[in-house]
Amino acid sequence: MKSRKLFILILLVAVSSALFAQTGKALRGIVVDNASGETLPSVTITVLNSYPPKGVISDEEGNFSIDNLPVGRYDIQASYIGYEPMTFREILISSAKEVFITIQLKENLNALQEIVIEPKVNKQEPLNNIATASARMLSVEEASRYAGGYDDPARLVTSFAGVAGNVSSNGIAIRGNSPQFLQWRLEGVEIPNPTHFSDITGVGGGILTALSSQVLGNSDFFTGAFPAEYDNALSGVFDMQLRNGNRWDYEHTAQIGTMGIDVSSEGPLKKGGQASYLFNYRYATMALADDLFPGLLGNASGMRYQDLSFKLNFPTKRAGTFSVWGIGVIDRFKNSEEEDVSKWETVEDNSSAKFNQTMGAGGIGHKYFFNNSTYLKSALAVSYNKNDLSVDLLDKDMVPTRVNDMEGTNWNVSLSSYLNKKFSSKHTNRTGIKMTRLAYDMDYNISPSYPNAFLPMENFAKSDGSTYFASAFTNSTIRLNNELTTNVGLNAQYFHLNKKWNAEFRFGIKWQAQPKHSFALAYGQHSRHEKLDYYFVTTPATGNELVNKKLDFAKAHHVVLSYDWAISENTHLKIEPYFQYLYDVPVARDSSFSIINHRDWYLNTALVNEGKGKNYGVDVTFERYLADGYYYLFTASVFESRYTGGDGIWRNTRLNRNYLFNALGGKEWKLGRQKQNILGVNLRLSLQGGDRYSPIDEAASQAEQDAVYDTSKAYEKQLSPAFISNFTVSYKMNKKNLAHEFAIKMINATGYKEYEGHIYNYRKKEVEMSRSAVVMPNISYKIEF
């Protein structure tokens, strides 16, 4: 009798907990055919880890909604007759914000046969279905959860295999390549580097990406042998998407922290309508963090920046879907001289610098379905980028002499369009064109004795005008059967400034050998033009002659072999050996200089297309998806990166670190009486080969009172390995239609000192290595309602 009462009591407690558990916002989504984009009705959507089980059926337009899920994480599976099932992992349901997902299902070619098909996991597949290898989908949820991500997608991807990064810069170095070899895309359009203080910390990098995780949608990151759709890149492509705002309800977020403020809002433009809006604004100042943690940010304490991003989405009944999007960036930096002359030791002490940067990009997108198997996607976009840098050197009487004065403006207008046609379940083709007008206005001046003021400034690049860049591609995806898929494509591009063109073949094949094992082989020829100011360089020896005007594309062949093993429903292993051969790389004749190693945001050197490079190695990823409250990710890369300059000698590249290791992990606990609150702890540990540098030419350095490198021995020196640690601790409290989150995020918690170069010490009359530890802390409070 007592045991029966005890059983009833336990049952009542369990039922009451379920009834009164904090209910989260709705999970909404749409299901589409991954090849044609056609919406799929009557798809069964099941919540795999809900008790009791929950499920719905998508409506005639492929939409579905699941309500009354308790706060927590869920896995969603979509099943449909004639299609392979798909599982969506790690969907976080909160009390303040609805979640919207797009599920892409692949048609089953053996629909009439009674065979068991293992469900695919969305994290294993990129959003772009024509990618074969070296591609990964970056989820919004990862961007906000992973330690070291700092809500910055560029910093997040450095945890992926084959990708190196630094603390002071978010430059993305893929497989030994320069960060400037990466292409940034937003809403299907190439845009300027969308990072704050772009190129100042190193060409291709910046401090933080101007896109917050509040507006970023799931995106694709490619690390080589990318499909024919992508042009003008050598190392990889970051294909980012802005998500659509919530068209059913209004939602808002505000965050304040030691790094600044962040405000976002989304909702329907008209209640009950189809159109929606989404925007995010951030203002950041490093000064507050520097006041709280003196000295941790170094020179970065003088930085101020703000950004705005938005997207408007307008679905129509007959004219397709229109979107209007934009991103804007304003950066300001000032570094003042040391006021006490007696403390001057290096040029950093008696110099002052100002840097202003403005970047903007925006466009109109349109997607129109002619029928269930054919759609046209087009975009008209405009981008603007302006940089203004000045450096003054002061004498002992505090009289300034300008040694650096550079100003450049770029306006780009692009029109792109592609037609996607699914001819059958076995064949889909995508063909498109792009035309970009590139306008420029530059005036770059520098002292030949910079950073000293021994000689007056000279102009090395000055021009204004416009040119254009055009490209076209076609790609066919051919499914021979359920197990074998091929992608064959061709990309052609033309650069009118120097009247150079190039045709590039792309190929990929994937074999699903067993339900849990797959192999893929991908090949791509890739090329890119240089930054526009490089083409307008003049030298004292050649007068007004544009020494780089006829530079051809730098080119590369890239081959990747991929093995993928779904060890269990939660764990996954990927191994990718690769080889990349670069040729026609711009180099300085009879010199070790190559654009592969170039770091400064400007260039004043005459170049020729005679350089080469090769990158080869193995990338390994072992991942456990977040389940039962914890996850981990281990990535390892062992590689070699070599190049030849204008002297034809093979050397290590600047970014030949030889190895990269990352270990990420995290644990979540449900707390509170109703288990509605979430405590999260995330950690990332990174070990990578040290920075490479050239030895110092002591005699020349003394003569010029500046750090002069022995370039005949370029990058023969290497620092000891770099160990970097990052962590995030957060506590989220879910109330009815409201959520509070407190968080501590730290980059470089162990204070690793990064290599910044060498500098001449006037007082000691010697060259010193410059290293500093930049630690980036952010203590924040966020409210969602």
Side-chain angles (χ1 to χ4, degrees):
M1 186 70 177
K2 290 182 179 180
S3 61
R4 181 180 298 178
K5 290 181 179 180
L6 180 60
F7 173 77
I8 294 173
L9 179 61
I10 293 174
L11 182 63
L12 288 173
V13 171
V15 171
S16 63
S17 297
L19 289 175
F20 294 101
Q22 181 67 57
T23 300
K25 287 282 191 174
L27 167 61
R28 303 181 190 271
I30 188 170
V31 188
V32 299
D33 181 292
N34 81 321
S36 68
E38 173 194 7
T39 57
L40 299 177
S42 304
V43 178
T44 300
I45 312 297
T46 306
V47 183
L48 297 180
N49 46 354
S50 69
Y51 304 98
K54 294 181 72 72
V56 296
I57 303 295
S58 64
D59 63 20
E60 293 181 355
E61 297 180 347
N63 298 304
F64 66 88
S65 177
I66 302 176
D67 301 312
N68 300 320
L69 284 174
V71 169
R73 292 190 183 273
Y74 297 91
D75 296 336
I76 308 297
Q77 182 169 301
S79 304
Y80 189 47
I81 296 176
Y83 283 77
E84 299 176 7
M86 170 66 76
T87 300
F88 256 69
R89 296 281 185 189
E90 306 172 357
I91 298 175
L92 177 62
I93 302 298
S94 72
S95 61
K97 281 202 166 188
E98 294 184 348
V99 178
F100 186 91
I101 62 176
T102 299
I103 301 177
Q104 300 184 67
L105 296 185
K106 181 187 295 184
E107 193 169 354
N108 178 13
L109 300 183
N110 299 322
L112 300 179
Q113 301 179 21
E114 294 184 2
I115 59 174
V116 177
I117 299 178
E118 292 285 335
K120 295 290 183 181
V121 177
N122 68 302
K123 291 171 65 67
Q124 296 176 6
E125 303 284 343
L127 298 176
N128 192 328
N129 62 297
I130 65 177
T132 305
S134 291
R136 170 165 178 146
M137 188 269 287
L138 170 71
S139 75
V140 184
E141 194 274 334
E142 286 174 339
S144 59
R145 169 164 47 96
Y146 281 3
Y150 225 65
D151 290 330
D152 180 0
R155 291 185 179 272
L156 172 62
V157 298
T158 60
S159 63
F160 296 166
V163 185
N166 289 317
V167 176
S168 58
S169 171
N170 66 352
I172 301 172
I174 301 173
R175 294 172 174 171
N177 283 285
S178 168
Q180 68 172 319
F181 291 173
L182 173 80
Q183 181 187 120
W184 294 87
R185 289 166 67 98
L186 183 61
E187 292 292 297
V189 176
E190 181 177 0
I191 62 171
N193 183 348
T195 59
H196 290 288
F197 304 98
S198 62
D199 297 340
I200 293 298
T201 58
V203 64
I207 301 298
L208 292 169
T209 306
L211 285 167
S212 165
S213 59
Q214 299 289 343
V215 296
L216 193 67
N218 290 344
S219 305
D220 280 339
F221 183 68
F222 299 88
T223 56
F226 33 89
E229 181 177 344
Y230 302 102
D231 57 21
N232 199 36
L234 287 179
S235 64
V237 177
F238 205 157
D239 193 1
M240 300 181 294
Q241 304 291 327
L242 299 174
R243 64 182 181 86
N244 295 328
N246 189 333
R247 65 181 176 89
W248 295 275
D249 201 1
Y250 296 101
E251 297 173 344
H252 316 284
T253 301
Q255 177 175 292
I256 185 170
T258 54
M259 299 296 284
I261 61 172
D262 190 326
V263 179
S264 66
S265 179
E266 60 184 293
L269 289 176
K270 180 180 179 182
K271 200 68 174 178
Q274 298 289 311
S276 64
Y277 76 90
L278 169 68
F279 84 87
N280 186 85
Y281 172 76
R282 292 188 299 186
Y283 176 82
T285 172
M286 303 291 191
L288 177 58
D290 188 63
D291 290 339
L292 295 174
F293 308 100
L296 290 185
L297 295 174
N299 289 335
S301 60
M303 292 181 174
R304 309 285 188 276
Y305 62 86
Q306 53 188 313
D307 58 65
L308 172 70
S309 48
F310 68 90
K311 184 177 182 180
L312 307 175
N313 194 56
F314 301 95
T316 67
K317 292 183 178 180
R318 296 182 179 179
T321 299
F322 293 87
S323 62
V324 180
W325 58 272
I327 175 175
V329 175
I330 298 177
D331 298 329
R332 299 291 182 263
F333 171 73
K334 183 177 181 180
N335 185 34
S336 299
E337 71 281 355
E338 168 60 51
E339 295 181 355
D340 187 348
V341 177
S342 65
K343 295 181 179 180
W344 288 3
E345 291 188 347
T346 70
V347 70
E348 291 183 349
D349 298 325
N350 65 317
S351 64
S352 63
K354 292 182 180 180
F355 175 73
N356 297 324
Q357 183 178 64
T358 305
M359 192 280 284
I364 301 173
H366 179 235
K367 188 174 184 180
Y368 178 78
F369 280 86
F370 294 96
N371 50 50
N372 290 339
S373 62
T374 309
Y375 70 84
L376 180 71
K377 189 172 184 179
S378 305
L380 174 64
V382 177
S383 65
Y384 171 81
N385 190 48
K386 182 177 181 179
N387 295 317
D388 186 359
L389 171 66
S390 62
V391 180
D392 291 327
L393 200 66
L394 287 83
D395 61 19
K396 292 185 178 180
D397 296 323
M398 304 300 284
V399 177
T401 299
R402 183 143 298 184
V403 293
N404 192 323
D405 191 352
M406 302 185 191
E407 184 174 342
T409 303
N410 294 92
W411 275 98
N412 297 342
V413 180
S414 67
L415 176 63
S416 60
S417 185
Y418 71 76
L419 183 71
N420 193 95
K421 171 68 176 179
K422 183 178 180 180
F423 291 96
S424 68
S425 59
K426 293 187 175 183
H427 180 210
T428 301
N429 178 269
R430 182 176 295 177
T431 299
I433 59 172
K434 180 179 78 172
M435 180 73 75
T436 304
R437 180 182 180 273
L438 308 168
Y440 50 86
D441 186 358
M442 67 193 73
D443 187 1
Y444 291 172
N445 303 271
I446 193 169
S447 167
S449 59
Y450 178 81
N452 294 309
F454 302 144
L455 297 172
M457 291 191 302
E458 296 178 357
N459 184 275
F460 66 89
K462 184 173 184 177
S463 185
D464 66 277
S466 65
T467 185
Y468 69 86
F469 175 81
S471 68
F473 77 91
T474 184
N475 185 92
S476 280
T477 301
I478 302 172
R479 301 182 62 198
L480 303 177
N481 50 49
N482 265 357
E483 292 75 36
L484 203 59
T485 302
T486 63
N487 281 291
V488 182
L490 182 69
N491 184 291
Q493 54 189 36
Y494 173 76
F495 189 34
H496 185 67
L497 183 67
N498 51 17
K499 296 179 172 55
K500 301 293 185 180
W501 69 277
N502 194 45
E504 304 165 359
F505 176 67
R506 317 281 174 88
F507 172 78
I509 184 169
K510 184 174 182 180
W511 175 40
Q512 190 73 44
Q514 295 181 8
K516 294 181 179 293
H517 301 269
S518 66
F519 298 86
L521 174 67
Y523 162 79
Q525 182 188 13
H526 310 290
S527 64
R528 68 180 291 273
H529 66 72
E530 303 303 325
K531 290 179 60 182
L532 286 183
D533 57 280
Y534 294 3
Y535 295 97
F536 296 94
V537 169
T538 59
T539 65
T542 57
N544 294 326
E545 179 186 353
L546 302 180
V547 293
N548 295 333
K549 185 67 176 292
K550 297 181 180 180
L551 272 182
D552 201 351
F553 296 107
K555 306 179 184 72
H557 297 285
H558 207 147
V559 180
V560 181
L561 178 65
S562 179
Y563 167 65
D564 206 296
W565 179 18
I567 300 173
S568 69
E569 63 178 10
N570 293 324
T571 54
H572 170 246
L573 173 69
K574 175 177 280 190
I575 302 174
E576 286 195 340
Y578 64 87
F579 179 80
Q580 184 188 28
Y581 177 74
L582 298 99
Y583 61 103
D584 289 347
V585 178
V587 296
R589 183 168 280 132
D590 301 321
S591 164
S592 62
F593 178 87
S594 171
I595 207 72
I596 289 174
N597 305 308
H598 187 56
R599 186 175 181 179
D600 293 333
W601 74 288
Y602 67 92
L603 180 139
N604 57 353
T605 305
L607 303 176
V608 291
N609 290 102
E610 297 178 0
K612 300 177 183 178
K614 54 185 177 182
N615 302 307
Y616 54 91
V618 179
D619 294 341
V620 180
T621 301
F622 179 61
E623 182 174 15
R624 184 189 193 274
Y625 307 130
L626 201 160
D628 302 320
Y630 73 97
Y631 73 95
Y632 53 76
L633 170 67
F634 298 101
T635 64
S637 301
V638 180
F639 65 97
E640 190 74 14
S641 180
R642 309 275 290 177
Y643 84 101
T644 65
D647 56 10
I649 299 174
W650 283 100
R651 297 180 171 91
N652 291 304
T653 66
R654 179 175 65 88
L655 293 168
N656 186 19
R657 295 182 179 274
N658 297 121
Y659 59 86
L660 306 165
F661 300 106
N662 287 288
L664 290 83
K667 172 67 177 175
E668 292 183 344
W669 293 269
K670 289 186 175 182
L671 304 176
R673 289 187 303 171
Q674 302 173 6
K675 302 298 182 183
Q676 79 277 18
N677 303 328
I678 299 176
L679 171 65
V681 178
N682 301 275
L683 177 67
R684 174 184 171 186
L685 305 176
S686 300
L687 179 67
Q688 58 188 20
D691 288 290
R692 291 190 178 272
Y693 64 96
S694 305
I696 292 294
D697 186 329
E698 297 291 350
S701 297
Q702 291 296 337
E704 297 187 21
Q705 296 186 29
D706 187 21
V708 179
Y709 297 95
D710 183 355
T711 56
S712 67
K713 300 177 181 179
Y715 308 109
E716 289 187 0
K717 297 283 190 177
Q718 186 174 20
L719 297 177
S720 57
F723 177 74
I724 302 170
S725 63
N726 311 290
F727 71 84
T728 299
V729 179
S730 63
Y731 184 64
K732 189 168 189 175
M733 298 179 292
N734 287 286
K735 307 296 183 181
K736 185 176 181 181
N737 298 324
L738 180 70
H740 306 271
E741 182 179 84
F742 298 89
I744 302 175
K745 298 180 180 181
M746 184 76 75
I747 291 180
N748 194 22
T750 46
Y752 171 74
K753 292 185 177 181
E754 284 191 321
Y755 170 69
E756 296 179 337
H758 287 75
I759 193 166
Y760 186 82
N761 189 307
Y762 302 128
R763 181 167 296 179
K764 298 179 181 179
K765 297 187 182 302
E766 63 182 23
V767 176
E768 299 175 335
M769 180 181 290
S770 177
R771 300 184 68 173
S772 65
V774 177
V775 180
M776 299 175 64
N778 189 24
I779 302 173
S780 64
Y781 163 70
K782 180 167 65 175
I783 182 171
E784 299 174 341
F785 57 98

